[in-house]
Coordinates of all heavy atoms in Angstrom, one line a residue:
M18 N 6.4 14.2 7.4 CA 5.9 12.9 7.2 C 4.5 12.9 6.6 O 4.2 12.0 5.9 CB 5.9 12.2 8.6 CG 5.5 10.8 8.6 SD 6.7 9.8 7.7 CE 6.1 8.2 7.8
V19 N 3.7 13.9 6.9 CA 2.4 13.9 6.4 C 2.4 14.0 4.9 O 1.7 13.3 4.2 CB 1.6 15.1 7.0 CG1 0.3 15.3 6.2 CG2 1.4 14.9 8.4
Q20 N 3.4 14.7 4.3 CA 3.5 14.9 2.8 C 3.9 13.6 2.2 O 3.6 13.3 1.0 CB 4.4 16.0 2.5 CG 3.8 17.3 2.9 CD 4.9 18.3 3.4 OE1 6.0 17.9 3.7 NE2 4.6 19.5 3.4
A21 N 4.6 12.7 2.9 CA 5.1 11.5 2.3 C 3.9 10.4 2.2 O 4.0 9.5 1.4 CB 6.2 10.9 3.1
T22 N 2.9 10.6 3.0 CA 1.9 9.6 3.1 C 1.1 9.4 1.7 O 1.0 8.2 1.3 CB 0.8 9.9 4.2 OG1 1.6 10.0 5.4 CG2 -0.2 8.9 4.3
P23 N 0.7 10.4 1.0 CA 0.0 10.2 -0.3 C 1.0 9.5 -1.3 O 0.5 8.7 -2.0 CB -0.3 11.6 -0.7 CG -0.4 12.5 0.5 CD 0.7 11.8 1.4
F24 N 2.2 9.9 -1.2 CA 3.2 9.3 -2.2 C 3.3 7.8 -1.9 O 3.3 7.0 -2.8 CB 4.6 10.0 -2.1 CG 5.6 9.2 -2.8 CD1 5.7 9.3 -4.2 CD2 6.5 8.4 -2.2 CE1 6.6 8.7 -5.0 CE2 7.5 7.7 -2.9 CZ 7.5 7.9 -4.3
L25 N 3.4 7.4 -0.6 CA 3.6 6.0 -0.3 C 2.3 5.3 -0.6 O 2.4 4.1 -1.1 CB 3.9 5.9 1.2 CG 5.2 6.4 1.7 CD1 5.4 6.3 3.2 CD2 6.3 5.6 1.0
L26 N 1.2 5.9 -0.4 CA -0.1 5.2 -0.7 C -0.2 5.0 -2.2 O -0.5 3.9 -2.7 CB -1.3 6.0 -0.3 CG -2.7 5.5 -0.5 CD1 -2.8 4.1 0.2 CD2 -3.7 6.4 -0.1
M27 N 0.2 6.0 -3.0 CA 0.2 5.9 -4.5 C 1.1 4.8 -4.9 O 0.8 4.0 -5.8 CB 0.5 7.2 -5.1 CG 0.4 7.2 -6.6 SD 0.6 8.8 -7.4 CE 2.4 8.9 -7.4
L28 N 2.3 4.7 -4.3 CA 3.3 3.7 -4.7 C 2.8 2.3 -4.4 O 2.9 1.4 -5.3 CB 4.6 4.0 -3.9 CG 5.7 3.0 -4.2 CD1 6.1 3.0 -5.6 CD2 6.9 3.3 -3.3
F29 N 2.2 2.1 -3.2 CA 1.7 0.8 -2.9 C 0.5 0.4 -3.9 O 0.4 -0.7 -4.3 CB 1.2 0.7 -1.5 CG 2.3 0.7 -0.5 CD1 2.4 1.7 0.5 CD2 3.3 -0.3 -0.5 CE1 3.4 1.7 1.4 CE2 4.3 -0.2 0.5 CZ 4.3 0.8 1.4
L30 N -0.4 1.3 -4.2 CA -1.5 1.1 -5.1 C -0.9 0.7 -6.5 O -1.4 -0.2 -7.1 CB -2.4 2.2 -5.1 CG -3.2 2.5 -3.8 CD1 -4.1 3.7 -4.0 CD2 -4.1 1.3 -3.5
A31 N 0.0 1.5 -6.9 CA 0.6 1.3 -8.3 C 1.3 -0.1 -8.4 O 1.1 -0.8 -9.3 CB 1.6 2.4 -8.6
L32 N 2.0 -0.4 -7.3 CA 2.7 -1.7 -7.3 C 1.7 -2.9 -7.3 O 1.8 -3.9 -8.0 CB 3.6 -1.9 -6.1 CG 4.9 -1.0 -6.2 CD1 5.6 -1.1 -4.9 CD2 5.7 -1.3 -7.3
G33 N 0.6 -2.7 -6.6 CA -0.5 -3.7 -6.6 C -1.2 -3.8 -7.9 O -1.5 -4.9 -8.4
A34 N -1.4 -2.7 -8.5 CA -2.1 -2.7 -9.8 C -1.2 -3.3 -10.9 O -1.7 -3.9 -11.9 CB -2.5 -1.3 -10.2
H35 N 0.1 -3.1 -10.8 CA 1.1 -3.6 -11.8 C 1.0 -5.2 -11.9 O 1.3 -5.7 -12.9 CB 2.5 -3.2 -11.4 CG 3.5 -3.7 -12.3 ND1 3.6 -3.2 -13.6 CD2 4.5 -4.7 -12.2 CE1 4.6 -3.9 -14.2 NE2 5.1 -4.7 -13.4
S36 N 0.6 -5.8 -10.8 CA 0.6 -7.3 -10.8 C -0.7 -7.9 -11.5 O -0.8 -9.1 -11.7 CB 0.6 -7.8 -9.4 OG -0.5 -7.5 -8.7
L37 N -1.6 -7.0 -12.0 CA -2.8 -7.5 -12.7 C -2.4 -8.1 -14.0 O -1.5 -7.6 -14.7 CB -3.8 -6.4 -12.8 CG -4.4 -5.8 -11.6 CD1 -5.3 -4.6 -11.9 CD2 -5.2 -6.9 -10.9
Q38 N -3.2 -9.1 -14.5 CA -3.0 -9.6 -15.8 C -3.5 -8.6 -16.8 O -4.4 -7.8 -16.5 CB -3.8 -10.9 -16.0 CG -3.3 -12.0 -15.1 CD -1.9 -12.5 -15.4 OE1 -1.5 -12.4 -16.6 NE2 -1.2 -13.0 -14.5
G39 N -3.0 -8.6 -18.0 CA -3.4 -7.7 -19.1 C -4.9 -7.8 -19.4 O -5.5 -6.8 -19.9
T40 N -5.6 -8.9 -19.2 CA -7.0 -9.0 -19.5 C -7.9 -8.5 -18.4 O -9.0 -8.3 -18.6 CB -7.3 -10.5 -19.7 OG1 -7.0 -11.3 -18.6 CG2 -6.6 -11.0 -20.9
Q41 N -7.3 -8.3 -17.2 CA -8.1 -7.8 -16.1 C -8.1 -6.2 -16.1 O -7.2 -5.6 -16.5 CB -7.6 -8.2 -14.7 CG -7.7 -9.7 -14.5 CD -7.1 -10.2 -13.2 OE1 -6.1 -9.6 -12.8 NE2 -7.8 -11.1 -12.6
K42 N -9.2 -5.7 -15.6 CA -9.4 -4.2 -15.6 C -9.0 -3.7 -14.2 O -9.4 -4.4 -13.2 CB -10.8 -3.8 -15.9 CG -11.0 -2.4 -16.0 CD -12.4 -2.1 -16.5 CE -12.6 -0.6 -16.6 NZ -13.9 -0.3 -17.1
C43 N -8.2 -2.7 -14.1 CA -7.9 -2.1 -12.8 C -9.0 -1.2 -12.3 O -9.4 -0.2 -12.9 CB -6.6 -1.3 -13.0 SG -6.1 -0.5 -11.4
N44 N -9.6 -1.6 -11.2 CA -10.7 -0.9 -10.6 C -10.3 -0.2 -9.3 O -10.1 -0.8 -8.3 CB -11.9 -1.8 -10.3 CG -13.1 -1.1 -9.8 OD1 -13.1 0.2 -9.7 ND2 -14.1 -1.8 -9.4
L45 N -10.1 1.2 -9.4 CA -9.6 1.9 -8.2 C -10.7 2.3 -7.2 O -10.4 2.6 -6.1 CB -9.0 3.2 -8.7 CG -7.7 3.1 -9.6 CD1 -7.3 4.5 -10.0 CD2 -6.6 2.5 -8.8
A46 N -12.0 2.3 -7.7 CA -13.1 2.7 -6.8 C -13.1 1.8 -5.6 O -13.0 0.6 -5.6 CB -14.4 2.6 -7.6
G47 N -13.3 2.5 -4.4 CA -13.5 1.8 -3.2 C -12.7 2.4 -2.0 O -12.3 3.6 -2.1
K48 N -12.5 1.7 -1.0 CA -11.8 2.2 0.2 C -10.4 1.6 0.3 O -10.3 0.3 0.1 CB -12.6 1.9 1.5 CG -14.0 2.6 1.5 CD -14.7 2.2 2.8 CE -16.1 2.8 2.7 NZ -16.2 4.1 3.2
W49 N -9.4 2.4 0.5 CA -8.0 2.0 0.6 C -7.5 2.4 2.0 O -7.8 3.5 2.5 CB -7.2 2.6 -0.5 CG -7.7 2.2 -1.9 CD1 -8.7 2.8 -2.6 CD2 -7.2 1.2 -2.7 NE1 -8.9 2.2 -3.8 CE2 -8.0 1.2 -3.9 CE3 -6.2 0.2 -2.5 CZ2 -7.7 0.3 -4.9 CZ3 -6.0 -0.7 -3.5 CH2 -6.7 -0.6 -4.7
K50 N -6.6 1.6 2.6 CA -6.0 2.0 3.8 C -4.5 1.6 3.7 O -4.1 0.5 3.3 CB -6.6 1.2 5.0 CG -6.1 1.6 6.3 CD -6.9 0.9 7.4 CE -6.4 1.3 8.8 NZ -7.2 0.7 9.9
N51 N -3.6 2.5 4.1 CA -2.2 2.2 4.1 C -1.7 1.7 5.4 O -2.4 1.6 6.4 CB -1.4 3.4 3.6 CG -1.3 4.6 4.6 OD1 -1.7 4.5 5.7 ND2 -0.8 5.7 4.1
D52 N -0.4 1.4 5.5 CA 0.2 0.8 6.7 C 0.2 1.7 7.9 O 0.4 1.3 9.0 CB 1.7 0.4 6.4 CG 1.7 -0.8 5.4 OD1 0.7 -1.5 5.2 OD2 2.8 -1.0 4.8
L53 N 0.1 3.0 7.6 CA 0.1 4.0 8.7 C -1.3 4.3 9.2 O -1.4 5.1 10.2 CB 0.8 5.3 8.2 CG 2.2 5.1 7.8 CD1 2.8 6.4 7.2 CD2 3.1 4.7 8.9
G54 N -2.3 3.7 8.6 CA -3.7 3.9 9.1 C -4.4 5.0 8.4 O -5.5 5.3 8.8
S55 N -3.8 5.6 7.4 CA -4.5 6.6 6.6 C -5.5 6.0 5.7 O -5.3 4.9 5.2 CB -3.6 7.5 5.8 OG -2.7 8.2 6.7
N56 N -6.7 6.6 5.5 CA -7.7 6.1 4.7 C -8.0 6.9 3.4 O -8.0 8.2 3.5 CB -9.0 6.0 5.5 CG -8.9 5.0 6.6 OD1 -8.8 3.8 6.4 ND2 -8.9 5.5 7.8
M57 N -8.3 6.3 2.3 CA -8.7 7.0 1.1 C -9.9 6.3 0.5 O -9.9 5.1 0.4 CB -7.5 7.0 0.1 CG -7.8 7.7 -1.2 SD -6.4 7.8 -2.3 CE -6.1 6.1 -2.8
T58 N -10.9 7.1 0.1 CA -12.0 6.6 -0.6 C -12.1 7.2 -2.0 O -12.0 8.4 -2.1 CB -13.3 6.9 0.2 OG1 -13.3 6.4 1.5 CG2 -14.6 6.4 -0.5
I59 N -12.1 6.3 -3.0 CA -12.1 6.7 -4.4 C -13.5 6.4 -4.9 O -14.0 5.3 -4.8 CB -11.1 6.0 -5.2 CG1 -9.7 6.4 -4.7 CG2 -11.3 6.4 -6.7 CD1 -8.6 5.7 -5.5
D60 N -14.2 7.5 -5.4 CA -15.5 7.3 -6.0 C -15.3 6.7 -7.4 O -14.2 6.4 -7.8 CB -16.2 8.7 -6.1 CG -16.3 9.4 -4.8 OD1 -16.5 8.7 -3.8 OD2 -16.3 10.6 -4.7
E61 N -16.4 6.5 -8.1 CA -16.4 5.9 -9.4 C -15.4 6.7 -10.4 O -15.4 7.9 -10.4 CB -17.8 5.9 -10.0 CG -17.9 5.3 -11.3 CD -19.3 5.3 -11.9 OE1 -20.2 5.5 -11.1 OE2 -19.5 5.1 -13.1
V62 N -14.7 5.9 -11.2 CA -13.8 6.5 -12.2 C -14.6 6.6 -13.4 O -15.2 5.7 -13.9 CB -12.6 5.6 -12.4 CG1 -11.7 6.2 -13.5 CG2 -11.8 5.3 -11.2
N63 N -14.7 7.9 -14.0 CA -15.6 8.1 -15.2 C -14.9 7.6 -16.4 O -13.7 7.1 -16.4 CB -16.0 9.5 -15.3 CG -14.9 10.5 -15.7 OD1 -13.9 10.1 -16.2 ND2 -15.1 11.8 -15.4
K64 N -15.5 7.6 -17.6 CA -15.0 7.1 -18.8 C -13.7 7.8 -19.3 O -13.0 7.2 -20.1 CB -16.1 7.1 -19.9 CG -16.5 8.4 -20.3 CD -17.6 8.4 -21.4 CE -18.0 9.8 -21.8 NZ -19.0 9.7 -22.9
N65 N -13.5 9.0 -18.8 CA -12.3 9.8 -19.2 C -11.1 9.4 -18.3 O -10.0 9.9 -18.5 CB -12.6 11.3 -19.2 CG -13.6 11.7 -20.2 OD1 -13.6 11.1 -21.3 ND2 -14.4 12.7 -19.9
G66 N -11.4 8.7 -17.2 CA -10.3 8.3 -16.2 C -10.3 9.2 -15.0 O -9.4 9.0 -14.2
D67 N -11.1 10.3 -15.0 CA -11.2 11.2 -13.9 C -11.9 10.6 -12.7 O -12.8 9.8 -12.8 CB -11.9 12.5 -14.2 CG -11.3 13.2 -15.4 OD1 -10.0 13.2 -15.5 OD2 -12.0 13.8 -16.2
F68 N -11.4 10.9 -11.5 CA -12.1 10.4 -10.3 C -11.9 11.4 -9.1 O -11.0 12.2 -9.2 CB -11.6 9.0 -9.8 CG -10.2 8.9 -9.5 CD1 -9.7 9.2 -8.2 CD2 -9.2 8.5 -10.4 CE1 -8.3 9.0 -7.9 CE2 -7.9 8.3 -10.1 CZ -7.4 8.6 -8.8
T69 N -12.7 11.4 -8.2 CA -12.7 12.2 -7.0 C -12.8 11.3 -5.8 O -13.1 10.1 -5.9 CB -13.8 13.2 -6.9 OG1 -15.1 12.5 -6.9 CG2 -13.7 14.2 -8.1
G70 N -12.5 11.8 -4.6 CA -12.7 11.0 -3.4 C -12.3 11.8 -2.2 O -12.2 13.1 -2.2
K71 N -12.0 11.1 -1.1 CA -11.7 11.8 0.2 C -10.4 11.0 0.8 O -10.3 9.8 0.6 CB -12.8 11.7 1.2 CG -14.1 12.4 0.8 CD -13.9 13.9 1.0 CE -15.1 14.7 0.7 NZ -15.0 16.1 0.7
Y72 N -9.6 11.8 1.5 CA -8.4 11.3 2.1 C -8.4 11.7 3.5 O -8.6 12.9 3.9 CB -7.1 11.8 1.4 CG -5.9 11.0 1.8 CD1 -5.5 9.9 1.1 CD2 -5.2 11.4 2.9 CE1 -4.3 9.2 1.5 CE2 -4.0 10.8 3.3 CZ -3.6 9.7 2.6 OH -2.5 9.0 3.0
L73 N -8.2 10.8 4.4 CA -8.1 11.1 5.9 C -6.8 10.5 6.4 O -6.6 9.3 6.5 CB -9.3 10.4 6.6 CG -9.3 10.7 8.1 CD1 -9.4 12.1 8.5 CD2 -10.4 9.9 8.8
T74 N -5.9 11.4 6.7 CA -4.5 11.0 7.1 C -4.6 10.6 8.6 O -5.3 11.2 9.4 CB -3.5 12.1 6.9 OG1 -2.2 11.6 7.3 CG2 -3.8 13.4 7.7
A75 N -3.8 9.6 9.0 CA -3.7 9.2 10.3 C -2.4 9.8 10.9 O -2.1 9.6 12.1 CB -3.7 7.7 10.4
V76 N -1.6 10.5 10.1 CA -0.3 11.0 10.5 C -0.3 12.5 10.6 O -0.5 13.1 9.6 CB 0.8 10.5 9.5 CG1 2.2 11.0 10.0 CG2 0.8 9.0 9.3
S77 N -0.1 13.0 11.8 CA -0.1 14.5 11.9 C 0.6 14.9 13.2 O 0.4 14.2 14.2 CB -1.5 15.0 11.9 OG -1.5 16.4 12.1
A78 N 1.3 16.0 13.2 CA 1.8 16.6 14.4 C 1.1 17.8 14.8 O 1.4 18.5 15.7 CB 3.3 16.9 14.2
A79 N 0.0 18.2 14.0 CA -0.8 19.3 14.2 C -1.7 19.1 15.4 O -2.3 18.0 15.5 CB -1.6 19.7 13.0
P80 N -1.9 20.1 16.3 CA -2.9 19.9 17.4 C -4.3 20.0 16.9 O -5.2 19.6 17.6 CB -2.5 21.1 18.3 CG -1.9 22.1 17.4 CD -1.2 21.4 16.3
E81 N -4.6 20.5 15.7 CA -6.0 20.7 15.2 C -6.5 19.3 14.9 O -5.8 18.3 14.6 CB -6.0 21.6 14.0 CG -5.6 23.0 14.2 CD -4.1 23.2 14.1 OE1 -3.4 22.3 13.7 OE2 -3.7 24.3 14.4
E82 N -7.9 19.2 14.9 CA -8.5 18.0 14.5 C -8.3 17.8 13.0 O -8.4 18.7 12.2 CB -10.0 18.1 14.7 CG -10.8 16.9 14.3 CD -12.3 17.1 14.6 OE1 -12.7 18.0 15.3 OE2 -13.1 16.2 14.1
I83 N -8.0 16.6 12.6 CA -7.8 16.2 11.2 C -9.2 15.9 10.6 O -10.0 15.2 11.1 CB -6.9 15.0 11.1 CG1 -5.5 15.3 11.7 CG2 -6.7 14.6 9.6 CD1 -4.6 14.1 11.8
E84 N -9.4 16.5 9.4 CA -10.7 16.3 8.7 C -10.4 15.5 7.4 O -9.3 15.5 6.9 CB -11.3 17.6 8.4 CG -11.7 18.4 9.6 CD -12.4 19.7 9.2 OE1 -12.6 20.0 8.0 OE2 -12.6 20.5 10.2
K85 N -11.4 14.9 6.8 CA -11.3 14.3 5.5 C -11.0 15.4 4.5 O -11.6 16.5 4.5 CB -12.6 13.6 5.1 CG -12.8 12.3 5.8 CD -14.0 11.6 5.4 CE -14.2 10.3 6.2 NZ -15.4 9.6 5.7
S86 N -10.0 15.2 3.6 CA -9.6 16.1 2.6 C -10.0 15.6 1.2 O -9.9 14.4 0.9 CB -8.1 16.3 2.7 OG -7.7 16.8 3.9
P87 N -10.5 16.5 0.4 CA -10.9 16.1 -1.0 C -9.6 15.7 -1.8 O -8.6 16.3 -1.7 CB -11.6 17.3 -1.6 CG -11.1 18.5 -0.8 CD -10.7 18.0 0.6
L88 N -9.8 14.8 -2.7 CA -8.7 14.4 -3.6 C -9.3 14.4 -5.0 O -10.5 14.2 -5.2 CB -8.1 13.1 -3.3 CG -8.9 11.8 -3.4 CD1 -8.8 11.2 -4.8 CD2 -8.3 10.7 -2.4
L89 N -8.4 14.6 -6.0 CA -8.8 14.6 -7.4 C -7.7 13.8 -8.1 O -6.5 14.0 -7.9 CB -8.8 16.0 -7.9 CG -9.1 16.3 -9.4 CD1 -10.5 15.8 -9.7 CD2 -8.9 17.7 -9.7
G90 N -8.1 12.9 -9.0 CA -7.1 12.1 -9.7 C -7.5 11.7 -11.1 O -8.6 12.0 -11.6
F91 N -6.6 11.0 -11.8 CA -6.8 10.5 -13.1 C -6.2 9.2 -13.3 O -5.1 8.9 -12.9 CB -6.2 11.5 -14.1 CG -6.3 11.1 -15.5 CD1 -7.5 11.3 -16.2 CD2 -5.2 10.5 -16.2 CE1 -7.6 10.9 -17.5 CE2 -5.3 10.1 -17.5 CZ -6.5 10.4 -18.2
Q92 N -6.9 8.3 -13.9 CA -6.4 6.9 -14.3 C -6.1 6.9 -15.8 O -6.8 7.6 -16.5 CB -7.4 5.9 -13.9 CG -6.9 4.5 -14.1 CD -8.0 3.4 -13.7 OE1 -9.1 3.7 -13.5 NE2 -7.5 2.2 -13.6
H93 N -5.1 6.1 -16.2 CA -4.7 6.1 -17.6 C -5.9 5.8 -18.5 O -6.9 5.2 -18.1 CB -3.6 5.0 -17.7 CG -4.2 3.6 -17.5 ND1 -4.8 2.9 -18.5 CD2 -4.2 2.8 -16.4 CE1 -5.2 1.7 -18.0 NE2 -4.9 1.6 -16.8
L94 N -5.7 6.0 -19.7 CA -6.7 5.7 -20.7 C -6.7 4.2 -20.9 O -5.6 3.5 -20.8 CB -6.4 6.4 -22.0 CG -6.4 7.9 -21.9 CD1 -5.9 8.5 -23.2 CD2 -7.8 8.4 -21.6
P95 N -7.8 3.6 -21.2 CA -7.9 2.1 -21.2 C -7.1 1.4 -22.2 O -6.8 0.2 -22.0 CB -9.4 1.8 -21.4 CG -10.0 3.1 -21.9 CD -9.1 4.2 -21.4
Y96 N -6.7 2.0 -23.3 CA -5.9 1.3 -24.3 C -4.4 1.2 -23.9 O -3.6 0.5 -24.6 CB -6.0 2.0 -25.6 CG -5.6 3.4 -25.7 CD1 -4.3 3.8 -25.8 CD2 -6.6 4.4 -25.5 CE1 -4.0 5.2 -25.8 CE2 -6.2 5.8 -25.6 CZ -4.9 6.1 -25.7 OH -4.6 7.4 -25.7
L97 N -4.0 1.8 -22.8 CA -2.6 1.7 -22.4 C -2.4 0.4 -21.7 O -3.2 -0.1 -21.1 CB -2.2 2.9 -21.5 CG -2.2 4.3 -22.1 CD1 -1.9 5.3 -21.1 CD2 -1.3 4.3 -23.3
S98 N -1.1 -0.2 -21.8 CA -0.9 -1.5 -21.3 C -0.7 -1.6 -19.8 O -1.0 -2.6 -19.2 CB 0.3 -2.1 -22.0 OG 1.5 -1.3 -21.7
Q99 N -0.2 -0.5 -19.1 CA 0.0 -0.6 -17.7 C -1.0 0.3 -16.9 O -1.3 1.4 -17.3 CB 1.4 0.0 -17.4 CG 2.5 -0.9 -17.9 CD 2.6 -2.2 -17.2 OE1 2.4 -2.4 -16.0 NE2 2.8 -3.3 -17.9
P100 N -1.6 -0.3 -15.9 CA -2.6 0.5 -15.1 C -1.8 1.5 -14.2 O -1.1 1.2 -13.3 CB -3.3 -0.5 -14.2 CG -2.3 -1.7 -14.2 CD -1.5 -1.6 -15.4
T101 N -1.9 2.8 -14.6 CA -1.3 3.9 -13.9 C -2.3 4.9 -13.5 O -3.3 5.1 -14.2 CB -0.1 4.5 -14.7 OG1 -0.7 5.0 -15.9 CG2 1.0 3.5 -15.0
F102 N -2.0 5.7 -12.5 CA -2.9 6.7 -12.0 C -2.1 7.7 -11.1 O -1.0 7.4 -10.7 CB -4.1 6.2 -11.3 CG -3.7 5.4 -10.0 CD1 -3.7 6.1 -8.8 CD2 -3.4 4.1 -10.1 CE1 -3.4 5.4 -7.7 CE2 -3.1 3.4 -9.0 CZ -3.0 4.1 -7.7
G103 N -2.7 8.8 -10.9 CA -2.1 9.8 -10.0 C -3.2 10.6 -9.3 O -4.3 10.6 -9.8
F104 N -2.9 11.2 -8.2 CA -3.9 12.0 -7.5 C -3.3 13.1 -6.7 O -2.1 13.0 -6.3 CB -4.9 11.2 -6.7 CG -4.2 10.4 -5.5 CD1 -4.1 11.0 -4.3 CD2 -3.7 9.2 -5.7 CE1 -3.5 10.4 -3.2 CE2 -3.1 8.5 -4.7 CZ -3.0 9.1 -3.4
T105 N -4.0 14.1 -6.3 CA -3.6 15.1 -5.4 C -4.6 15.3 -4.3 O -5.8 15.0 -4.5 CB -3.4 16.5 -6.1 OG1 -4.7 16.9 -6.6 CG2 -2.4 16.4 -7.2
V106 N -4.1 15.7 -3.2 CA -5.0 15.9 -2.0 C -4.9 17.4 -1.6 O -3.9 17.9 -1.5 CB -4.6 15.0 -0.8 CG1 -5.4 15.3 0.4 CG2 -4.6 13.6 -1.2
N107 N -6.1 18.0 -1.4 CA -6.2 19.4 -0.9 C -6.4 19.3 0.6 O -7.6 19.1 1.1 CB -7.4 20.1 -1.6 CG -7.4 21.5 -1.2 OD1 -6.5 22.0 -0.5 ND2 -8.5 22.2 -1.6
W108 N -5.3 19.3 1.4 CA -5.4 19.1 2.8 C -6.4 20.1 3.5 O -6.3 21.3 3.2 CB -4.0 19.2 3.5 CG -3.1 18.2 3.0 CD1 -2.0 18.4 2.2 CD2 -3.1 16.8 3.2 NE1 -1.4 17.2 1.9 CE2 -2.1 16.2 2.5 CE3 -4.0 16.0 3.9 CZ2 -1.8 14.8 2.5 CZ3 -3.7 14.6 3.9 CH2 -2.7 14.1 3.3
T109 N -7.2 19.5 4.4 CA -8.1 20.3 5.2 C -7.9 20.0 6.7 O -8.0 18.9 7.1 CB -9.6 19.9 4.8 OG1 -9.8 20.1 3.4 CG2 -10.6 20.8 5.5
F110 N -7.6 21.1 7.4 CA -7.5 20.9 8.9 C -8.4 21.9 9.5 O -8.6 23.0 9.0 CB -6.1 21.2 9.3 CG -5.1 20.2 8.8 CD1 -4.3 20.4 7.7 CD2 -4.9 19.0 9.5 CE1 -3.4 19.5 7.2 CE2 -4.0 18.0 9.1 CZ -3.3 18.3 7.9
S111 N -9.1 21.5 10.6 CA -10.0 22.5 11.3 C -9.3 23.5 12.0 O -8.1 23.4 12.3 CB -10.9 21.7 12.2 OG -10.2 21.1 13.2

């Protein structure tokens, strides 16, 4: 279940971004929370579309304390018509 959380979060974000008008810019930077209570913070997206951030999952069966994990992602180039992006999380457990 833990591995499905980033996919679900990405899917929800992508669906939300899809509803934007063509004249609006998709701004990913900020704090995001999914239905399961996991949190993701995306830092500023640079001009190349690269971004970093932190992901804190609320879903775990591990007895260890869950820590914020670094994430790395990329948003589409601005001339493309659909706002798309992807990211990976490097899980960190204490």
Side-chain angles (χ1 to χ4, degrees):
M18 185 65 178
V19 171
Q20 292 144 343
T22 302
F24 172 77
L25 293 174
L26 181 62
M27 185 174 78
L28 179 62
F29 288 121
L30 293 174
L32 290 174
H35 179 70
S36 66
L37 294 173
Q38 297 292 334
T40 58
Q41 292 180 324
K42 187 175 181 180
C43 179
N44 182 6
L45 294 177
K48 296 179 186 270
W49 300 84
K50 184 174 184 176
N51 70 11
D52 293 343
L53 300 173
S55 299
N56 295 290
M57 180 172 69
T58 301
I59 296 178
D60 301 326
E61 182 179 343
V62 179
N63 71 20
K64 66 180 179 177
N65 295 326
D67 301 323
F68 61 87
T69 59
K71 297 285 184 184
Y72 191 91
L73 180 62
T74 184
V76 182
S77 174
E81 295 88 3
E82 180 182 347
I83 300 170
E84 298 178 5
K85 288 183 181 178
S86 299
L88 68 85
L89 178 64
F91 178 78
Q92 186 177 12
H93 68 85
L94 298 173
Y96 58 82
L97 296 176
S98 63
Q99 293 295 319
T101 58
F102 61 93
F104 63 92
T105 61
V106 176
N107 184 10
W108 297 110
T109 305
F110 294 95
S111 62

